[in-house]
Amino acid sequence: MTDKIRINRLSEAMGVEIFGIDLNTLDDATFGLINEAYLEHQMLCIRNQKLDPQSLVDFSERFGEVLPHDNLKFTLDEHPKILVLSNDVDQNGNQIGVIDAGDAWHTDHQFKKTPANCTILYSLKNPSQGGATDFTNMYTAYDALSEKMKARIARLRGHHSISKLKNKRVEISGSREDAIAFYKRQEREIPDVEHPLVRVHPVTGRKSLYCSPRFTIAIKGDGLSKEHAETLLDELIAHSLKKPFRYRHTWEDRDVVMWDNRCVNHRATGGYVYPDIRHLYRTTVEGEAPVAA
Ligand code: SIN
Protein backbone atom coordinates (compact mmCIF):
# COMPACT_ATOMS: atom_id res chain seq x y z
CA MET A 1 0.00 0.00 0.00
CA THR A 2 2.87 2.41 0.77
CA ASP A 3 3.95 2.92 -2.88
CA LYS A 4 0.81 5.04 -3.61
CA ILE A 5 1.45 7.41 -0.71
CA ARG A 6 2.43 11.05 -1.25
CA ILE A 7 3.66 13.31 1.55
CA ASN A 8 3.97 17.11 1.23
CA ARG A 9 5.13 19.64 3.77
CA LEU A 10 2.43 22.02 4.93
CA SER A 11 4.70 24.78 6.21
CA GLU A 12 8.23 25.62 7.29
CA ALA A 13 7.07 25.46 10.91
CA MET A 14 5.64 21.93 11.00
CA GLY A 15 3.14 19.55 9.50
CA VAL A 16 2.70 17.36 6.44
CA GLU A 17 -0.30 16.35 4.35
CA ILE A 18 -0.58 12.73 3.26
CA PHE A 19 -2.44 11.43 0.21
CA GLY A 20 -3.06 7.86 -0.93
CA ILE A 21 -4.01 6.25 2.39
CA ASP A 22 -7.32 4.67 3.34
CA LEU A 23 -7.43 4.49 7.13
CA ASN A 24 -10.17 1.82 6.89
CA THR A 25 -7.64 -0.68 5.58
CA LEU A 26 -4.50 0.38 7.41
CA ASP A 27 -1.70 -2.19 7.39
CA ASP A 28 1.26 -2.17 9.78
CA ALA A 29 3.70 -0.79 7.20
CA THR A 30 1.44 2.18 6.47
CA PHE A 31 0.81 2.76 10.15
CA GLY A 32 4.60 2.75 10.67
CA LEU A 33 4.97 5.43 8.01
CA ILE A 34 2.24 7.58 9.57
CA ASN A 35 3.78 7.21 13.02
CA GLU A 36 7.22 8.20 11.72
CA ALA A 37 5.75 11.27 10.00
CA TYR A 38 3.86 12.14 13.19
CA LEU A 39 7.01 12.08 15.30
CA GLU A 40 9.08 13.93 12.71
CA HIS A 41 6.58 16.63 11.69
CA GLN A 42 4.46 17.03 14.87
CA MET A 43 1.23 17.54 12.93
CA LEU A 44 -0.33 15.47 10.12
CA CYS A 45 -3.26 15.90 7.78
CA ILE A 46 -4.42 12.70 6.09
CA ARG A 47 -6.64 13.81 3.21
CA ASN A 48 -9.83 12.33 1.73
CA GLN A 49 -10.87 9.90 4.45
CA LYS A 50 -14.30 8.29 4.55
CA LEU A 51 -14.52 6.98 8.10
CA ASP A 52 -17.33 5.74 10.27
CA PRO A 53 -17.00 6.44 14.02
CA GLN A 54 -15.61 2.97 14.81
CA SER A 55 -12.89 3.32 12.16
CA LEU A 56 -11.86 6.63 13.71
CA VAL A 57 -11.63 4.99 17.14
CA ASP A 58 -9.70 2.02 15.68
CA PHE A 59 -7.19 4.36 14.02
CA SER A 60 -6.83 6.42 17.22
CA GLU A 61 -6.22 3.26 19.27
CA ARG A 62 -3.13 2.53 17.18
CA PHE A 63 -1.48 5.37 19.14
CA GLY A 64 -2.57 4.32 22.63
CA GLU A 65 -5.52 4.37 24.97
CA VAL A 66 -8.35 6.54 23.65
CA LEU A 67 -9.72 8.50 26.57
CA PRO A 68 -13.34 8.94 27.56
CA HIS A 69 -14.41 12.61 27.41
CA ASP A 70 -15.34 14.73 30.42
CA ASN A 71 -18.18 16.33 28.48
CA LEU A 72 -20.60 13.39 28.00
CA LYS A 73 -23.36 15.67 26.76
CA PHE A 74 -21.68 15.91 23.36
CA THR A 75 -20.18 12.46 22.83
CA LEU A 76 -21.71 10.10 20.27
CA ASP A 77 -24.24 7.77 21.94
CA GLU A 78 -22.76 4.62 20.42
CA HIS A 79 -19.17 5.87 20.60
CA PRO A 80 -18.53 7.74 23.88
CA LYS A 81 -14.83 8.10 22.97
CA ILE A 82 -15.81 10.48 20.18
CA LEU A 83 -16.57 14.07 21.09
CA VAL A 84 -18.59 16.12 18.61
CA LEU A 85 -17.34 19.65 17.91
CA SER A 86 -20.11 21.49 16.11
CA ASN A 87 -22.17 24.64 15.88
CA ASP A 88 -25.11 22.68 14.42
CA VAL A 89 -28.43 22.15 16.23
CA ASP A 90 -31.00 19.33 16.24
CA GLN A 91 -34.68 19.61 15.12
CA ASN A 92 -35.56 21.14 18.48
CA GLY A 93 -32.89 23.82 18.19
CA ASN A 94 -30.60 22.17 20.76
CA GLN A 95 -26.83 22.37 20.33
CA ILE A 96 -25.40 19.01 19.16
CA GLY A 97 -21.70 19.59 19.87
CA VAL A 98 -19.17 21.70 21.73
CA ILE A 99 -19.08 25.15 20.09
CA ASP A 100 -16.16 26.81 21.85
CA ALA A 101 -13.62 23.95 22.12
CA GLY A 102 -10.07 25.19 22.16
CA ASP A 103 -10.64 28.89 21.55
CA ALA A 104 -7.45 29.88 23.46
CA TRP A 105 -3.92 28.58 22.75
CA HIS A 106 -3.36 25.33 24.65
CA THR A 107 -2.11 21.79 24.57
CA ASP A 108 -4.60 19.06 25.42
CA HIS A 109 -4.94 17.85 29.00
CA GLN A 110 -2.05 19.98 30.26
CA PHE A 111 -4.07 20.31 33.48
CA LYS A 112 -3.89 16.54 34.12
CA LYS A 113 -1.11 14.45 35.71
CA THR A 114 -0.80 12.56 32.43
CA PRO A 115 -1.52 15.01 29.60
CA ALA A 116 -2.52 13.83 26.13
CA ASN A 117 -0.29 12.28 23.50
CA CYS A 118 -2.17 13.02 20.26
CA THR A 119 -5.50 14.57 19.47
CA ILE A 120 -7.21 13.45 16.27
CA LEU A 121 -9.89 15.48 14.51
CA TYR A 122 -11.99 14.21 11.62
CA SER A 123 -13.66 16.94 9.61
CA LEU A 124 -17.15 16.15 8.32
CA LYS A 125 -18.29 19.62 7.33
CA ASN A 126 -16.56 22.95 7.03
CA PRO A 127 -18.02 26.43 6.99
CA SER A 128 -17.71 28.59 3.87
CA GLN A 129 -15.39 30.89 5.82
CA GLY A 130 -13.34 30.67 9.02
CA GLY A 131 -12.98 27.53 11.15
CA ALA A 132 -9.21 27.15 10.71
CA THR A 133 -7.02 25.64 13.43
CA ASP A 134 -3.73 27.27 14.43
CA PHE A 135 -0.68 25.34 15.60
CA THR A 136 2.62 26.44 17.10
CA ASN A 137 5.73 24.31 17.37
CA MET A 138 6.97 24.22 20.95
CA TYR A 139 10.19 22.35 20.02
CA THR A 140 11.36 25.16 17.76
CA ALA A 141 10.06 27.77 20.20
CA TYR A 142 12.33 26.19 22.83
CA ASP A 143 15.29 25.81 20.45
CA ALA A 144 15.08 29.53 19.54
CA LEU A 145 15.41 30.74 23.14
CA SER A 146 18.72 32.31 24.12
CA GLU A 147 21.14 30.08 26.06
CA LYS A 148 20.67 32.44 29.01
CA MET A 149 16.89 31.94 28.95
CA LYS A 150 17.27 28.16 28.55
CA ALA A 151 19.46 28.10 31.67
CA ARG A 152 17.03 30.34 33.55
CA ILE A 153 13.98 28.14 32.90
CA ALA A 154 15.67 24.72 33.01
CA ARG A 155 14.45 23.81 36.49
CA LEU A 156 11.20 25.77 36.63
CA ARG A 157 7.70 24.26 36.77
CA GLY A 158 4.45 25.36 35.19
CA HIS A 159 1.31 25.39 37.32
CA HIS A 160 -1.73 24.37 35.26
CA SER A 161 -5.44 24.61 35.94
CA ILE A 162 -8.51 23.58 33.98
CA SER A 163 -10.49 26.47 35.44
CA LYS A 164 -10.89 29.59 33.34
CA LEU A 165 -12.04 31.32 36.52
CA LYS A 166 -8.49 31.17 37.91
CA ASN A 167 -6.85 32.37 34.71
CA LYS A 168 -6.51 36.05 33.88
CA ARG A 169 -5.12 35.28 30.40
CA VAL A 170 -8.36 33.84 28.99
CA GLU A 171 -11.95 34.92 28.51
CA ILE A 172 -15.05 32.82 29.12
CA SER A 173 -16.94 32.27 25.88
CA GLY A 174 -20.41 33.83 25.78
CA SER A 175 -21.72 30.69 24.04
CA ARG A 176 -21.15 28.43 27.07
CA GLU A 177 -24.26 28.21 29.21
CA ASP A 178 -23.73 28.00 33.01
CA ALA A 179 -20.04 28.83 32.56
CA ILE A 180 -19.39 29.72 36.21
CA ALA A 181 -21.02 26.55 37.56
CA PHE A 182 -19.27 24.49 34.83
CA TYR A 183 -15.76 25.74 35.71
CA LYS A 184 -16.44 25.58 39.49
CA ARG A 185 -17.38 21.92 39.12
CA GLN A 186 -14.26 21.26 37.05
CA GLU A 187 -12.11 22.98 39.71
CA ARG A 188 -13.50 20.60 42.33
CA GLU A 189 -13.11 17.49 40.18
CA ILE A 190 -9.70 18.12 38.62
CA PRO A 191 -7.01 19.43 40.97
CA ASP A 192 -4.34 21.75 39.56
CA VAL A 193 -1.02 20.16 38.58
CA GLU A 194 2.60 21.19 38.09
CA HIS A 195 4.79 19.99 35.20
CA PRO A 196 8.34 20.84 34.10
CA LEU A 197 8.42 24.05 32.05
CA VAL A 198 10.88 22.35 29.71
CA ARG A 199 9.77 18.82 28.92
CA VAL A 200 11.60 16.06 27.11
CA HIS A 201 9.63 14.17 24.49
CA PRO A 202 9.38 10.51 25.56
CA VAL A 203 10.09 9.17 22.06
CA THR A 204 12.19 11.74 20.18
CA GLY A 205 14.13 12.98 23.23
CA ARG A 206 13.73 16.60 22.00
CA LYS A 207 13.10 19.42 24.47
CA SER A 208 10.07 21.66 24.19
CA LEU A 209 8.61 24.60 26.02
CA TYR A 210 5.61 23.41 28.00
CA CYS A 211 3.24 26.27 28.83
CA SER A 212 0.09 27.77 27.34
CA PRO A 213 -2.13 30.77 28.00
CA ARG A 214 -5.21 28.55 28.41
CA PHE A 215 -3.95 26.27 31.18
CA THR A 216 -0.72 27.66 32.66
CA ILE A 217 -1.62 30.08 35.44
CA ALA A 218 1.81 30.41 37.08
CA ILE A 219 5.47 29.48 36.91
CA LYS A 220 7.21 28.24 40.02
CA GLY A 221 10.78 27.65 41.11
CA ASP A 222 13.17 28.22 43.98
CA GLY A 223 13.83 31.90 44.47
CA LEU A 224 11.45 33.03 41.70
CA SER A 225 9.18 35.84 42.90
CA LYS A 226 5.51 35.87 41.89
CA GLU A 227 6.03 39.12 40.03
CA HIS A 228 9.00 37.86 38.01
CA ALA A 229 7.17 34.61 37.34
CA GLU A 230 4.21 36.50 35.84
CA THR A 231 6.45 38.54 33.53
CA LEU A 232 8.38 35.44 32.55
CA LEU A 233 5.19 33.54 31.69
CA ASP A 234 3.95 36.42 29.53
CA GLU A 235 7.34 36.56 27.80
CA LEU A 236 7.44 32.81 27.09
CA ILE A 237 3.87 32.74 25.80
CA ALA A 238 4.54 35.71 23.48
CA HIS A 239 7.73 34.00 22.29
CA SER A 240 5.92 30.71 21.57
CA LEU A 241 3.44 32.53 19.33
CA LYS A 242 5.98 34.09 16.99
CA LYS A 243 5.19 33.61 13.30
CA PRO A 244 8.13 31.31 12.38
CA PHE A 245 6.84 28.60 14.75
CA ARG A 246 3.28 28.70 13.46
CA TYR A 247 1.06 26.94 10.92
CA ARG A 248 -2.63 27.66 10.21
CA HIS A 249 -4.63 24.68 8.95
CA THR A 250 -7.49 25.47 6.57
CA TRP A 251 -9.69 22.41 6.60
CA GLU A 252 -11.06 20.37 3.75
CA ASP A 253 -14.00 18.01 4.28
CA ARG A 254 -12.74 14.52 5.20
CA ASP A 255 -9.38 15.66 6.55
CA VAL A 256 -8.07 13.62 9.46
CA VAL A 257 -5.72 15.92 11.35
CA MET A 258 -3.61 14.82 14.30
CA TRP A 259 -1.01 16.59 16.38
CA ASP A 260 1.44 15.78 19.12
CA ASN A 261 0.37 17.61 22.29
CA ARG A 262 3.77 16.91 23.82
CA CYS A 263 5.41 19.48 21.55
CA VAL A 264 2.62 21.48 19.86
CA ASN A 265 0.14 24.10 21.09
CA HIS A 266 -3.03 24.84 19.13
CA ARG A 267 -6.23 26.86 19.08
CA ALA A 268 -9.49 27.00 17.17
CA THR A 269 -9.81 30.33 15.37
CA GLY A 270 -13.62 30.60 14.97
CA GLY A 271 -14.86 33.14 12.45
CA TYR A 272 -18.02 31.32 11.25
CA VAL A 273 -21.65 31.75 12.24
CA TYR A 274 -24.64 29.39 12.21
CA PRO A 275 -26.15 28.29 9.78
CA ASP A 276 -22.66 28.03 8.28
CA ILE A 277 -21.79 24.65 9.82
CA ARG A 278 -18.48 23.36 11.15
CA HIS A 279 -18.76 19.76 12.29
CA LEU A 280 -15.93 17.49 13.44
CA TYR A 281 -15.32 14.36 15.49
CA ARG A 282 -12.53 14.33 18.01
CA THR A 283 -10.60 11.61 19.86
CA THR A 284 -7.83 12.07 22.41
CA VAL A 285 -5.08 9.56 23.14
CA GLU A 286 -3.58 9.23 26.61
CA GLY A 287 0.02 10.38 27.05
CA GLU A 288 2.48 10.12 29.91
CA ALA A 289 3.60 12.30 32.85
CA PRO A 290 5.96 14.99 31.46
CA VAL A 291 9.63 14.50 32.27
CA ALA A 292 12.14 17.31 32.85
CA ALA A 293 15.43 17.62 31.01
C1 SIN B 1 -9.61 21.64 20.05
O1 SIN B 1 -8.80 22.39 20.53
O2 SIN B 1 -9.91 20.58 20.58
C2 SIN B 1 -10.37 21.96 18.78
C3 SIN B 1 -9.59 22.69 17.75
C4 SIN B 1 -10.50 23.08 16.61
O3 SIN B 1 -11.72 22.85 16.68
O4 SIN B 1 -10.01 23.66 15.64
Side-chain angles (χ1 to χ4, degrees):
M1 186 166 162
T2 51
D3 51 343
K4 293 199 191 108
I5 297 171
R6 253 188 325 120
I7 302 184
N8 302 326
R9 294 220 46 168
L10 285 166
S11 72
E12 286 292 310
M14 80 183 91
V16 288
E17 60 180 349
I18 307 184
F19 295 90
I21 286 178
D22 178 358
L23 293 179
N24 290 294
T25 55
L26 190 62
D27 55 35
D28 287 345
T30 310
F31 171 70
L33 190 146
I34 293 173
N35 195 32
E36 252 175 53
Y38 168 64
L39 293 167
E40 190 177 341
H41 299 285
Q42 299 85 48
M43 177 270 171
L44 303 183
C45 172
I46 307 168
R47 302 280 191 195
N48 304 319
Q49 297 305 302
K50 200 168 177 188
L51 298 181
D52 61 22
Q54 188 56 50
S55 309
L56 177 61
V57 172
D58 290 346
F59 173 62
S60 307
E61 278 174 346
R62 289 276 198 154
F63 294 89
E65 184 195 351
V66 179
L67 294 166
H69 290 281
D70 301 325
N71 190 341
L72 290 180
K73 189 172 166 195
F74 294 126
T75 51
L76 291 183
D77 288 345
E78 305 290 312
H79 294 277
K81 290 181 176 174
I82 295 185
L83 183 70
V84 178
L85 309 185
S86 183
N87 63 333
D88 208 352
V89 294
D90 65 17
Q91 313 143 353
N92 302 319
N94 296 317
Q95 215 179 297
I96 62 165
V98 185
I99 291 188
D100 64 346
D103 54 359
W105 282 101
H106 66 289
T107 175
D108 288 327
H109 297 183
Q110 192 167 34
F111 52 84
K112 291 188 176 173
K113 283 190 183 143
T114 52
N117 171 344
C118 50
T119 301
I120 303 178
L121 292 184
Y122 177 42
S123 170
L124 294 153
K125 183 151 179 41
N126 284 291
S128 58
Q129 56 179 9
T133 306
D134 279 341
F135 297 93
T136 194
N137 189 330
M138 301 300 274
Y139 280 149
T140 45
Y142 174 78
D143 292 344
L145 292 170
S146 66
E147 292 308 312
K148 195 171 160 204
M149 180 60 96
K150 286 180 184 166
R152 184 173 171 209
I153 66 173
R155 277 175 206 78
L156 300 181
R157 300 178 306 280
H159 177 127
H160 312 281
S161 175
I162 191 167
S163 176
K164 282 193 173 179
L165 304 174
K166 291 187 185 179
N167 189 341
K168 66 175 188 191
R169 292 180 178 83
V170 291
E171 284 177 8
I172 294 176
S173 148
S175 58
R176 188 178 286 279
E177 294 163 17
D178 306 328
I180 306 285
F182 175 79
Y183 288 116
K184 282 272 174 221
R185 179 173 55 75
Q186 286 194 324
E187 271 179 27
R188 284 193 301 275
E189 288 172 1
I190 306 173
D192 292 0
V193 289
E194 288 185 12
H195 293 306
L197 186 57
V198 179
R199 75 176 284 191
V200 176
H201 194 285
V203 185
T204 66
R206 287 185 70 181
K207 290 180 192 170
S208 67
L209 194 54
Y210 196 60
C211 59
S212 71
R214 169 62 186 88
F215 295 124
T216 313
I217 57 169
I219 292 179
K220 295 187 174 168
D222 292 344
L224 182 67
S225 73
K226 227 174 155 182
E227 195 190 349
H228 282 124
E230 282 291 296
T231 317
L232 179 62
L233 181 53
D234 285 337
E235 197 181 326
L236 292 174
I237 288 170
H239 170 78
S240 75
L241 299 179
K242 285 180 184 158
K243 282 271 148 51
F245 314 136
R246 280 166 66 169
Y247 164 64
R248 170 165 289 190
H249 187 70
T250 302
W251 291 85
E252 291 175 16
D253 291 353
R254 299 188 182 171
D255 280 351
V256 169
V257 165
M258 60 184 290
W259 62 86
D260 190 340
N261 286 292
R262 301 167 294 187
C263 53
V264 170
N265 283 3
H266 66 282
R267 70 166 176 187
T269 62
Y272 54 94
V273 180
Y274 182 85
D276 208 4
I277 301 299
R278 182 178 193 261
H279 192 86
L280 302 99
Y281 288 164
R282 168 180 155 152
T283 58
T284 314
V285 174
E286 177 71 311
E288 47 290 290
V291 170

